[in-house]
Amino acid sequence: MTSLRSRLLFAFLLVGLAPTSLLAVRVVERVSRAFEDAARERLDNALHASLLRIDRIASRAEQQVLAIATLDLAVAPDGDERGLAEGLGSRRDLAAFEIVADDGRVLVSRHWPAGSGLPETGRAFPGPRPLRLEKVAQGYGAAESLAVMPERPATWRGARVIVRGGAFVDAELLEDLSTATQARVGVFDAATGQWYTPPESPLREWNRPALTGTSGEITLGDRPWRWASEALAPGLLLVAAVPRSDLDRVLLALRHDTVVAGLLALGGALIAALALSRRLSRPILELAAGARRVAQGDLERPVSADGPDEIGELSRAFNAMTDDLRSSRERLVQAERVTAWREMARRLAHELKNPIFPIQVSLDTLGRALDRDPALFAGLFRESSETIQQELRSLRRIVDEFSDFARMPRPSFAPVRLNTVVEQTLALYRDRSPTVRVESKVEEGLPPLSGDRDLLARALGNLVVNAIEAMPEGGVLRVGTRATAEGQMLEVADTGPGLSEDQRTRLFTPYFTTKAGGTGLGLAIVQGIVSDHGGRIEVESIPGQGTTFVLLLPGATGAPGNL
Amino acid sequence: MRRALLLALLGTVTLSAAARAAFGPSYGGSATIAVPFVPQATGPGLGASTVERLVLGLVHATLLEIGPDGSLRPGLARSWASAAQGREWTLELDPAARFHDDAAVTAAPAVRSIRRFLAGGTPAARRLARALEADGVGADESGRLVLRFRDATGRPLLPLASFACAVTGARGAAAGPFIPTLAIPGSRLALTSFAGHWRGRAYLDGLTVLAVPDDARRHADLSAGRVDLALGEPGVQASATTLLLVLNSQQAPFDRVATREAVAAAIDRVALARDYIPGGVPTLSPLPPSLSGTSGAGGVPRGGRRLAGAITLAVATDVSPAISQRVVAHLDALGLHVTATPVDPSAARTAATEARLFLFAPEVADFGIATQEVAALAPPGPAVVIPLAAVPVSVGARPGVHGVRIDAAGRASLEDAWVER
């Protein structure tokens, strides 16, 4: 998560995920609430419609009972009481019909003819609705059924009676209500714990209804239900229930769809984030690569600067900077080249002038001697010719050194163990000065690196010679190697007089020397060799304490022991 | 002219129909009788219900029969005689008697059938078993059936008239006037007349016993001519059964005498018989009037005693639902919550419920045997067996169907039934 691209990706995902999640939660919550409200409304409608239907039944039955009490009984024939109950009930469409005497005996009954002549056993519910619990003939016995039975006093056969008739709130009616209202409708008698429902109604599984309150949820069988109730009469509740599974099913589908939509959105955000972060990071990465190239001295390859945005502006500025650097470097190189040529010319003139002058003097002396004293000439000739020979050798050495510098070969790379180079080189110089103690401290197990053994030995030799020569009064020369993060390091330190700041800055300039007889090419050769190996030289020097040259060479070429 | 011809033709048709009835029975044709249910099996048995007794009478034959006057009549045994001062009885089998598989009815299957009967443990069988010597059933050299009794008793051969003692052959074949050819348990039983019946083949070629559980539907089917005969419909009848309410004195709430007495006193037998049982008579005797010779209103019902509790009433399916509902209404008026459960008639006699309601017809139309049979219905105790009404066994027939008989034991016999054709 440290790269700009990762951070951009994370930010995009976060930005995409948070609103999507919030939206999903909000949508599910709103839909849930909407469904809850719809379920509640559905239950309320079911209860309202059921109550309305029951009240209509009661109202219609009241009219029919009134008609029987005031019209039909007056003209009813005597005898066949069972036929009378069936006839009147059938004609007035009253499934429940009975005439009850003043003393409470059932005189005739359509729905429970077996009870005729016996005390009535029906139970009336208190309240404005004419609800009763009546015995109804069923099979070999009777069943109790809830009935809407308004009643009217009447006179029949000279006696005061009560005419009662209506319809049953039975399975058929409740099934009809359930179908019409799309809810399960039932009636619960709290006094007896009895349900009145269609045969297959799940409400029958509600053994001990906790019908406190007017609505709630309950699990019947293995399904959750939402229910609501309304009092038909004290202790008699009309209950409507709808399966919660409908709501759950929709919510499940909604959650599923939301998750899918969220994942799609996330996927889209991810793709967009990848594309955008790539588009943003690519020029930045390219800038970084360009910067690394510039740091390595490559000023020839500009970065692409196509975009119109800030990154493009930055790239263009980077390229302009690179161009400026390249121009400056060219100017600097040109200036350095001129300076170097001047220095070389000055040094060459100086170097050549030193031997030429004795030669010229010797030749002048020989000429004068030849003119003045030929006998002297012979003595001078021998002496002068030695001088001339000596200076000519000096000239030759100078020419050879310049020739060597000019003819510095290109390195021939092969696996080289740096420690071996150190050992072999120090063996050559260890006894060069009796006053200088040579110490080596190499790191064991350094792997081979890619390099030219001879050139590296030459570079090390130049440094060792310089160090020894810098300690004419004696001192300690320390040569060491060790591994670094970039490769391997060769360190040569002396305890000589050290270098001034000016000397240190001009140290690698060709033909710059602090020694009386030096050509100033030794360190230039060292720098050339190290540069050809892709490395660099660092110099630390404290005047009066010594100087340390550090050669940093790039990485190993293979595992230890390959050579 | 045309009108005269038409009237003449109509008169001829009418006269010919009347003439056919006047000429008497004729062979051929088939009939369907509607019954409340069809028994699951047709093997020899007690015949707890009118339907079972009807089917047993169609399929099986007994050694002896009981006449309307209660006297023994020949069955498969054409004569019988006693010896050893009334302790040994010899029955001579009718040589013409054949089983449905055409095997002769001999002493061997008769002996085997009597032994099966004795092992069955019906009231009549128990009485015969008590009276017989050990291994007292056998045959003599002449192929006659011999029964040896411990003591000389009055009418010792009466149990042999039980349908549980019907004689069957070695392969289970019966010897009655009809052969079962198709049985759909609970729904339909088809029979064909047995040509080899020793009394001569029945008039009908075939007979179908059809289950029509609903009383009104049976009535309607008979009225519409969809069936030829219907059990329980007005027609030929005999007051041969008693409606009994048996209370289980071992279970609450009838473990209290007062409760049982309250139930016995609360049921209005007169209204029950009058309004719910066509041809019914209120009675205080558990035996049918043909055996008890008595019937009565049983006094004025006393209501108002409030009881409490819930009971299950096992109701035999040959009891009309209207009758059952009336009894339930009485119990309900007393304050009992009654759940009525229909059960098979034979199961109703032994159902382990708080109360049972069924029609009782004695296994054998004999006062002594029937009394023992009633005693076996419930443990002794006051008002445990509550007789409610004498209920006639009746068979209604559509016009053109004749010859149906019902004996004193409530057996509807179609052996001599015939249809006008």
Side-chain angles (χ1 to χ4, degrees):
Chain A
M1 200 61 71
T2 54
S3 70
L4 175 64
R5 189 171 175 182
S6 302
R7 276 183 280 180
L8 278 173
L9 201 59
F10 178 70
F12 270 99
L13 286 179
L14 198 63
V15 168
L17 182 62
T20 305
S21 304
L22 283 174
L23 182 66
V25 170
R26 189 69 179 155
V27 166
V28 170
E29 183 188 352
R30 282 190 174 228
V31 172
S32 299
R33 194 178 306 153
F35 266 87
E36 298 284 348
D37 292 345
R40 175 70 210 180
E41 191 177 339
R42 190 171 148 196
L43 288 172
D44 287 345
N45 289 341
L47 290 173
H48 179 71
S50 301
L51 285 173
L52 198 63
R53 179 84 168 269
I54 290 170
D55 289 342
R56 279 182 183 163
I57 290 171
S59 174
R60 185 193 162 282
E62 193 163 359
Q63 295 172 10
Q64 300 303 317
V65 168
L66 178 64
I68 291 174
T70 56
L71 301 174
D72 298 349
L73 284 185
V75 296
D78 288 341
D80 191 17
E81 293 171 352
R82 295 172 73 181
L84 175 74
E86 183 63 32
L88 286 177
S90 175
R91 196 169 80 189
R92 295 291 177 182
D93 193 20
L94 298 173
F97 175 70
E98 63 185 7
I99 300 175
V100 182
D102 255 358
D103 60 1
R105 281 183 306 111
V106 177
L107 298 175
V108 296
S109 172
R110 184 187 187 195
H111 55 276
W112 182 225
S116 300
L118 301 176
E120 66 172 333
T121 54
R123 174 165 65 96
F125 287 94
R129 290 191 179 87
L131 292 162
R132 294 180 62 81
L133 203 56
E134 286 287 319
K135 282 273 189 304
V136 184
Q138 186 182 72
Y140 286 83
E144 283 191 322
S145 186
L146 190 65
V148 185
M149 293 181 73
E151 59 187 37
R152 281 271 168 180
T155 302
W156 184 45
R157 293 177 181 171
R160 292 189 61 78
V161 296
I162 293 171
V163 179
R164 191 180 287 147
F168 290 106
V169 185
D170 55 7
E172 188 180 352
L173 176 64
L174 292 169
E175 185 70 55
D176 194 26
L177 289 173
S178 298
T179 305
T181 61
Q182 294 293 301
R184 303 302 181 108
V185 180
V187 177
F188 178 67
D189 185 347
T192 61
Q194 176 77 35
W195 273 105
Y196 301 97
T197 67
E200 304 298 326
S201 174
L203 294 175
R204 286 172 178 255
E205 297 177 25
W206 201 347
N207 292 327
R208 291 190 173 278
L211 283 172
T212 53
T214 56
S215 65
E217 288 190 8
I218 188 167
T219 298
L220 301 174
D222 55 353
R223 296 179 70 189
W225 292 78
R226 172 173 287 281
W227 62 270
S229 70
E230 186 82 39
L232 277 172
L236 194 67
L237 296 173
L238 181 67
V239 181
V242 292
R244 228 201 109 79
S245 51
D246 290 351
L247 170 63
D248 291 341
R249 193 166 51 246
V250 172
L251 287 180
L252 191 66
L254 182 65
R255 286 195 186 101
H256 175 265
D257 291 348
T258 306
V259 167
V260 170
L263 288 176
L264 286 176
L266 272 180
L270 184 64
I271 292 170
L274 281 171
L276 199 55
S277 63
R278 187 171 180 180
R279 188 175 171 189
L280 282 174
S281 62
R282 187 175 58 185
I284 292 173
L285 291 173
E286 203 170 326
L287 271 175
R292 277 196 295 275
R293 285 199 302 272
V294 168
Q296 292 168 358
D298 182 2
L299 301 176
E300 301 303 324
R301 286 189 291 168
V303 297
S304 65
D306 301 332
D309 52 8
E310 291 81 354
I311 302 293
E313 186 64 29
L314 180 61
S315 299
R316 282 190 288 277
F318 181 83
N319 286 340
M321 180 197 75
T322 308
D323 289 343
D324 290 346
L325 278 176
R326 187 170 60 246
S327 300
S328 300
R329 187 177 71 175
E330 284 173 356
R331 285 195 300 273
L332 184 62
V333 166
Q334 192 67 30
E336 282 184 347
R337 189 175 296 150
V338 171
T339 303
W341 274 113
R342 282 177 179 164
E343 181 65 22
M344 188 186 73
R346 187 185 65 79
R347 175 61 64 182
L348 193 58
H350 174 72
E351 293 297 328
L352 290 178
K353 194 163 54 182
N354 286 341
I356 286 174
F357 181 71
I359 291 173
Q360 187 178 4
V361 169
S362 297
L363 288 176
D364 286 346
T365 304
L366 282 177
R368 278 193 300 270
L370 185 61
D371 292 339
R372 293 175 189 169
D373 187 0
L376 182 60
F377 176 79
L380 283 174
F381 180 79
R382 194 174 298 111
E383 187 178 345
S384 296
S385 63
E386 285 178 9
T387 301
I388 290 169
Q389 287 289 344
Q390 185 179 356
E391 293 305 324
L392 283 175
R393 282 197 296 275
S394 179
L395 276 173
R396 185 178 188 85
R397 182 182 59 80
I398 291 168
V399 171
D400 286 346
E401 281 190 7
F402 274 87
S403 179
D404 286 349
F405 180 66
R407 288 190 291 110
M408 182 68 70
R410 301 297 301 170
S412 175
F413 289 101
V416 177
R417 287 189 182 279
L418 197 56
N419 289 348
T420 307
V421 174
V422 169
E423 288 171 12
Q424 292 173 350
T425 304
L426 288 185
L428 294 175
Y429 297 98
R430 195 175 292 279
D431 299 327
R432 172 70 64 91
S433 171
T435 58
V436 175
R437 189 174 79 249
V438 179
E439 296 178 356
S440 70
K441 186 178 181 183
V442 297
E443 182 176 311
E444 295 299 328
L446 284 179
L449 52 79
S450 179
D452 188 314
R453 181 195 304 265
D454 294 339
L455 288 179
L456 288 174
R458 182 171 178 182
L460 178 59
N462 284 358
L463 291 175
V464 169
V465 169
N466 280 351
I468 291 172
E469 289 177 350
M471 296 181 291
E473 302 301 326
V476 179
L477 169 65
R478 294 187 183 86
V479 179
T481 61
R482 64 184 162 92
T484 66
E486 299 174 352
Q488 296 176 19
M489 185 188 79
L490 175 61
E491 189 178 76
V492 180
D494 63 56
T495 56
L499 298 172
S500 65
E501 184 62 26
D502 178 59
Q503 288 173 330
R504 200 167 63 85
T505 54
R506 299 179 61 198
L507 200 57
F508 297 104
T509 304
Y511 316 114
F512 171 78
T513 182
T514 58
K515 296 181 289 189
T519 60
L521 293 174
L523 284 179
I525 290 170
V526 172
Q527 187 186 36
I529 292 171
V530 171
S531 178
D532 286 345
H533 280 77
R536 69 177 189 276
I537 300 177
E538 292 178 357
V539 182
E540 293 176 6
S541 182
I542 301 172
Q545 293 187 10
T547 303
T548 301
F549 288 85
V550 177
L551 276 59
L552 294 165
L553 297 170
T557 59
N562 282 354
L563 299 177
Chain B
M1 183 67 179
R2 271 187 187 173
R3 190 174 176 185
L5 277 173
L6 189 61
L7 286 172
L9 183 60
L10 191 62
T12 304
V13 169
T14 308
L15 281 173
S16 64
R20 280 200 301 275
F23 288 145
S26 62
Y27 287 95
S30 61
T32 298
I33 180 168
V35 296
F37 67 95
V38 171
Q40 297 290 321
T42 57
L46 179 64
S49 67
T50 304
V51 179
E52 289 166 314
R53 289 192 293 275
L54 166 71
V55 172
L56 285 169
L58 293 172
V59 177
H60 291 282
T62 53
L63 290 165
L64 299 171
E65 296 174 2
I66 296 177
D69 59 352
S71 62
L72 282 173
R73 292 193 315 185
L76 292 171
R78 65 178 178 179
S79 63
W80 54 95
S82 67
Q85 290 83 43
R87 289 190 292 108
E88 182 176 299
W89 288 81
T90 304
L91 288 79
E92 185 174 3
L93 299 173
D94 193 321
R98 289 279 187 280
F99 291 114
H100 292 162
D101 59 2
D102 207 32
V105 178
T106 60
V111 168
R112 193 167 53 248
S113 298
I114 292 173
R115 287 176 177 157
R116 182 203 66 221
F117 168 62
L118 292 172
T122 66
R126 287 198 296 271
R127 172 172 165 154
L128 181 62
R130 281 196 301 272
L132 284 172
E133 286 183 355
D135 198 21
V137 182
D140 61 12
E141 300 81 7
S142 306
R144 293 179 302 183
L145 190 64
V146 178
L147 284 79
R148 296 184 187 83
F149 293 87
R150 299 174 195 276
D151 300 302
T153 58
R155 309 216 299 174
L157 299 183
L158 275 173
L160 299 183
S162 168
F163 272 124
C165 193
V167 180
T168 53
R171 288 174 290 184
F178 287 91
I179 307 170
T181 53
L182 172 68
I184 304 174
S187 173
R188 180 186 291 263
L189 176 66
L191 307 108
T192 56
S193 65
F194 176 38
H197 194 247
W198 87 96
R199 284 177 179 156
R201 61 163 294 192
Y203 290 115
L204 292 169
D205 287 343
L207 183 66
T208 299
V209 181
L210 182 67
V212 182
D214 183 59
D215 291 352
R217 173 79 186 279
R218 275 201 310 280
H219 176 76
D221 284 352
L222 182 63
S223 300
R226 288 190 288 269
V227 297
D228 304 292
L229 302 156
L231 207 60
E233 287 297 300
V236 180
Q237 70 175 46
S239 190
T241 65
T242 310
L243 179 66
L244 300 181
L245 175 65
V246 180
L247 308 180
N248 190 337
S249 61
Q250 308 298 316
Q251 292 183 16
F254 302 125
D255 53 347
R256 295 177 61 235
V257 174
T259 305
R260 301 197 295 268
E261 287 177 344
V263 172
I267 296 176
D268 185 349
R269 292 170 174 77
V270 174
L272 177 68
R274 181 190 63 218
D275 298 335
Y276 296 90
I277 306 173
V281 178
T283 184
L284 293 174
S285 168
L287 301 183
S290 58
L291 294 180
S292 65
T294 61
S295 64
V300 178
R302 300 192 304 273
R305 185 176 188 126
R306 299 299 296 175
L307 303 177
I311 66 164
T312 299
L313 175 68
V315 183
T317 49
D318 59 343
V319 175
S320 163
I323 296 173
S324 174
Q325 287 172 4
R326 180 63 179 182
V327 173
V328 168
H330 276 294
L331 298 175
D332 187 64
L334 279 174
L336 294 171
H337 182 77
V338 183
T339 302
T341 306
V343 296
D344 187 77
S346 56
R349 294 190 174 200
T350 56
T353 53
E354 288 87 356
R356 293 166 271 158
L357 183 69
F358 55 89
L359 291 168
F360 170 71
E363 182 182 3
V364 176
D366 174 73
F367 183 84
I369 297 176
T371 303
Q372 291 175 7
E373 197 172 347
V374 170
L377 291 174
V384 172
V385 177
I386 302 172
L388 298 177
V391 180
V393 174
S394 63
V395 176
R398 70 167 173 80
V401 179
H402 310 278
V404 178
R405 291 183 289 106
I406 299 175
D407 67 13
R411 302 174 185 177
S413 168
L414 302 180
E415 197 173 332
D416 298 325
W418 59 281
V419 294
E420 293 177 15
R421 294 193 302 137

